[in-house]
Amino acid sequence: MPQADNNSSSPPGGSGTWSKVDPSLVVDIALKTLIGLGVIFIGGNLYVFWYKHNVLSKIEAAFNKTWDDAALVQLIKQELSRFDLLTPDLEHASLQSLAAKLSEVHPRRQEQDFVDSIVKGEMAGSYFLLVGPKGAGKSGMVFDAMLNIRNKGAVFLEAHPDLEVFRLRLGNALNYEFSEDMQAGLFQRPDPRSGGPAMDIERALDKLYEVAMRNGRRRPLVLIITKIQNFQNDDQGRNLLLQIQQYAERWAIRGSVLMTHTSAIFLNLLRHRHCCIHHVRSVQDLDWEMSKRTLLCRRPDAENVNSVVHVVGGRQSYLNKVSRAEEMLQAAEDLLRSEKAWLENCLGLIPDCDNDVEVVQKWSLHCWTLLREFVRLYRVNQRESGDSWDPLKLPIIPAWRCQQIMTRPDYLDELDRLDVVYIDMNSNVQPDSMLVLRAALDIVEKEGFDELLEDVRCRIKEIENLRR
């Protein structure tokens, strides 16, 4: 019997199957796979390179964006319409005529030249903090300076207590998307948002530094953050202020970016007081003559201007509000009544208080003790000055003396946050505004106030003795 061929009965998938595969086909498939992977790799890297370059270009475009004549005309018309000064003849007026009218509505303050120099980038090598009470006109002067340069080379944003909101505002101001629009998920291992808002802010500030350094510039870029007192007074807020200050110092040393802050709270100064390249400028209320001039420029036919200024003082925001009212004196008195009601509700005194509100009454007692001292000093200055007395000059007490008067060092900062008092950069304390002082005058000089204060003091002592 003939012997069977061993090769004829080879199992499927054996070596006979591979002998039928064309080696050139394997090489062709391998080459196509390698070429495809190479194209993906090279294309991905080219996209990432283009994206990074585009990010810097978009940030640079945010600083190069300027307001044209049409935009300036619209902004000035909106400002004039706030005070009902946009007359029919100004509807079709030229930019020069509108600018001249706006300068009449907003008399130039002595601090405006300093703010103009900052926004123009003429004061490189430092970073700045404009500090003053709320409504004193800090943001308004910054806006006027940006109008003068048509917003070229400067970016303006407002702080917010929520870091996510501030992150979004910073991204919109810098035209930066925080890599959220990047179509390269295949080449990214971590999520670009995994670090939280603090890391996003770090990336945005780092990109801004790259933009400032990649091209030679005659003047630095200007980044303005207003109302930094809105940041929370907790670990997150303090860490964010430290993060911003570190970049501001680095930029100031290199002269690449000039950062400016505005604030109404003294606590923010404590993190900057030891820095030699950080400059603080105080912005106060208008004086008597400047306040009258501001009202007369907006209401040339107004009456009782002296009485209005005597009530609201030189606070820019209050002057803006009463100048838009039909009866300015009535509007000023309404503001005074509202401020007086707010003080009485916030610092209410209860002579027969229960035991569980002892802490609240102790707070009110010490606050009114300080306000009574401010009222006393104001009347003393009025008697001693005679004919040269300035009715808008607020009494000033050093912070250490205020702590002695209140017998509590921790209450002063809370009064500053509530805008009852204002602490300046020299640690001097004054009433937050003339309106607050007028309200305190009406309350403190009312008959029976001293007896009410003493009754509350005795009640607190009685509660403390019962607990012992």
Side-chain angles (χ1 to χ4, degrees):
M1 185 175 181
Q3 187 176 1
D5 190 1
N6 293 333
N7 294 334
S8 62
S9 61
S10 59
S15 59
T17 304
W18 289 103
S19 63
K20 297 179 181 179
V21 177
D22 188 0
S24 62
L25 181 61
V26 176
V27 174
D28 184 55
I29 294 173
L31 287 176
K32 288 181 179 180
T33 303
L34 291 175
I35 291 173
L37 292 175
V39 169
I40 294 175
F41 179 78
I42 295 174
N45 279 277
L46 289 175
Y47 172 77
V48 171
F49 176 79
W50 170 85
Y51 179 83
K52 291 181 178 180
H53 182 271
N54 186 54
V55 165
L56 300 181
S57 299
K58 289 166 65 176
I59 295 176
E60 188 171 11
F63 285 90
N64 291 332
K65 182 171 57 178
T66 59
W67 294 334
D68 56 10
D69 290 350
L72 288 176
V73 167
Q74 187 65 25
L75 288 172
I76 295 175
K77 285 183 178 180
Q78 290 177 359
E79 187 66 17
L80 293 176
S81 62
R82 289 177 55 200
F83 306 101
D84 296 329
L85 295 176
L86 190 60
T87 57
D89 58 323
L90 291 176
E91 284 285 354
H92 305 286
S94 63
L95 177 61
Q96 290 75 16
S97 301
L98 290 172
K101 184 64 177 178
L102 183 64
S103 63
E104 296 177 3
V105 175
H106 291 294
R108 190 173 181 85
R109 302 178 56 158
Q110 59 180 0
E111 302 95 346
Q112 188 65 56
D113 293 336
F114 178 77
V115 178
D116 287 348
S117 300
I118 294 175
V119 176
K120 290 178 182 178
E122 297 175 352
M123 304 182 72
S126 302
Y127 64 104
F128 302 89
L129 174 64
L130 301 178
V131 62
K134 290 182 181 178
K138 302 180 295 295
S139 299
M141 288 193 295
V142 171
F143 181 75
D144 290 342
M146 294 181 70
L147 278 178
N148 293 333
I149 65 170
R150 295 175 177 258
N151 195 40
K152 184 175 178 59
V155 164
F156 177 95
L157 71 149
E158 184 176 323
H160 192 275
D162 191 335
L163 295 190
E164 284 288 352
V165 176
F166 179 72
R167 179 196 75 87
L168 184 61
R169 290 181 179 179
L170 181 62
N172 291 336
L174 298 180
N175 202 13
Y176 179 55
E177 299 290 340
F178 301 101
S179 301
E180 293 175 353
D181 58 342
M182 188 175 187
Q183 305 298 322
L186 181 63
F187 301 93
Q188 287 181 334
R189 292 181 180 178
D191 184 1
R193 293 294 317 284
S194 60
M199 288 302 299
D200 286 343
I201 294 170
E202 179 77 14
R203 294 188 186 99
L205 298 178
D206 188 63
K207 292 296 182 183
L208 175 58
Y209 177 69
E210 289 186 36
V211 171
M213 295 299 294
R214 71 173 184 170
N215 293 324
R217 294 179 177 274
R218 295 183 178 179
R219 69 183 185 92
L221 303 175
V222 180
L223 177 63
I224 304 168
I225 304 176
T226 64
K227 301 180 182 179
I228 62 173
Q229 75 273 3
N230 289 341
F231 292 139
Q232 295 284 357
N233 190 27
D234 55 10
D235 289 340
Q236 272 196 334
R238 288 188 288 268
N239 290 339
L240 178 59
L241 277 177
L242 176 62
Q243 182 182 15
I244 293 175
Q245 182 190 3
Q246 288 174 340
Y247 269 96
E249 291 178 357
R250 185 190 308 175
W251 294 338
I253 292 173
R254 291 167 175 79
S256 56
V257 181
L258 195 156
M259 182 178 286
T260 304
H261 311 130
T262 68
S263 176
I265 299 296
F266 171 73
L267 288 177
N268 293 312
L269 296 177
L270 298 178
R271 303 175 185 89
H272 305 276
R273 68 182 190 276
H274 296 305
C275 182
C276 60
I277 60 175
H278 178 251
H279 298 280
V280 182
R281 186 65 177 261
S282 178
V283 178
Q284 296 295 333
D285 292 340
L286 303 178
D287 57 20
W288 178 266
E289 293 299 329
M290 194 68 172
S291 301
K292 289 173 55 178
R293 180 185 171 192
T294 300
L295 284 181
L296 289 174
C297 288
R298 298 170 184 176
R299 299 285 295 273
D301 56 345
E303 300 178 355
N304 300 323
V305 173
N306 290 342
S307 300
V308 172
V309 175
H310 192 267
V311 174
V312 300
R315 184 60 51 87
Q316 190 78 43
S317 58
Y318 296 153
L319 294 174
N320 293 343
K321 186 175 292 186
V322 298
S323 65
R324 295 195 296 267
E326 185 174 350
E327 294 290 338
M328 290 199 305
L329 184 57
Q330 182 63 39
E333 292 175 350
D334 291 341
L335 285 175
L336 179 58
R337 278 192 293 270
S338 299
E339 193 72 21
K340 182 180 175 181
W342 181 84
L343 269 181
E344 291 178 327
N345 291 331
C346 183
L347 308 175
L349 295 171
I350 306 175
D352 298 324
C353 62
D354 293 335
N355 299 353
D356 53 351
V357 295
E358 175 200 357
V359 175
V360 178
Q361 284 304 292
K362 188 179 294 186
W363 149 262
S364 299
L365 172 68
H366 294 305
C367 293
W368 278 115
T369 303
L370 179 62
L371 290 175
R372 184 176 62 176
E373 183 65 17
F374 279 126
V375 170
R376 188 189 69 82
L377 288 177
Y378 183 75
R379 292 307 188 193
V380 169
N381 293 335
Q382 181 180 1
R383 290 192 301 268
E384 293 179 351
S385 300
D387 296 336
S388 61
W389 177 60
D390 182 5
L392 299 188
K393 186 177 181 180
L394 296 171
I396 297 176
I397 303 176
W400 62 268
R401 178 57 184 155
C402 291
Q403 293 175 357
Q404 291 179 348
I405 294 172
M406 301 177 73
T407 68
R408 290 291 297 262
D410 53 334
Y411 285 169
L412 197 58
D413 295 336
E414 185 62 26
L415 282 178
D416 191 12
R417 294 192 191 95
L418 291 174
D419 298 327
V420 177
V421 301
Y422 169 69
I423 308 174
D424 65 12
M425 61 185 185
N426 297 316
S427 297
N428 291 322
V429 185
Q430 64 184 34
D432 183 75
S433 64
M434 179 55 65
L435 206 60
V436 172
L437 182 60
R438 293 291 176 203
L441 282 167
D442 290 349
I443 297 172
V444 171
E445 294 181 343
K446 186 186 300 183
E447 185 178 357
F449 176 81
D450 291 337
E451 290 78 7
L452 174 62
L453 203 64
E454 187 61 29
D455 290 343
V456 174
R457 192 188 311 275
C458 293
R459 177 57 179 166
I460 292 175
K461 289 182 179 179
E462 180 183 348
I463 294 174
E464 290 177 348
N465 291 333
L466 289 174
R467 287 182 177 177
R468 291 172 186 163

